[in-house]
Amino acid sequence: GDRIVLLLTQDNTEDVKEKLQLKEEGERDSLTMLYNRTRLYEQIEQKYKKMDSCGILFLDLNNLKLWNDTEGHDCGDELIMRTAESLHALESKK
């Protein structure tokens, strides 16, 4: 009559962290670490539809192609990163 209860557990902490990190990396641009278009559309579906009002900022860096063609892509990347740094700075002030 004695019962034996066997409980097997597995610590999935590292697996969960890795999955979250991969999801985060897939949602951000690797150069700027800003959210990408896929994340924007998810946010619109999940959060923004329920809001009374909101704003979305789209940026176009004028003449970026010209900079890339004349000064090289490293220069263009630098301009993109500096723009992203400015946006990150604004985000940290809110």
Side-chain angles (χ1 to χ4, degrees), residues 10-81:
Q10 181 176 355
D11 184 1
N12 292 332
T13 305
E14 289 303 315
D15 290 341
V16 170
K17 284 181 184 177
E18 185 177 330
K19 285 180 183 176
L20 288 173
Q21 182 179 354
L22 287 172
K23 183 179 186 312
E24 179 73 14
E25 288 172 4
E27 293 177 337
R28 291 186 183 267
D29 176 77
S30 61
L31 180 66
T32 64
M33 295 311 296
L34 294 171
Y35 286 121
N36 62 24
R37 186 178 307 178
T38 302
R39 175 64 187 253
L40 169 65
Y41 293 141
E42 286 177 5
Q43 290 293 315
I44 290 170
E45 278 298 314
Q46 294 172 7
K47 294 181 181 178
Y48 298 134
K49 276 187 172 181
K50 299 172 187 156
M51 298 174 111
D52 292 332
S53 65
C54 73
I56 299 173
L57 177 65
F58 288 94
L59 293 177
D60 180 18
L61 300 180
N62 291 334
N63 301 315
L64 180 62
K65 182 178 179 345
L66 178 63
W67 279 96
N68 281 337
D69 291 347
T70 58
E71 302 297 325
H73 285 272
D74 288 341
C75 181
D77 286 353
E78 183 66 27
L79 291 171
I80 292 169
M81 288 186 294

Side-chain angles (χ1 to χ4, degrees), residues 76-92:
D77 286 353
E78 183 66 27
L79 291 171
I80 292 169
M81 288 186 294
R82 287 183 184 210
T83 302
E85 288 170 5
S86 297
L87 293 172
H88 285 294
L90 290 172
E91 181 181 29
S92 67

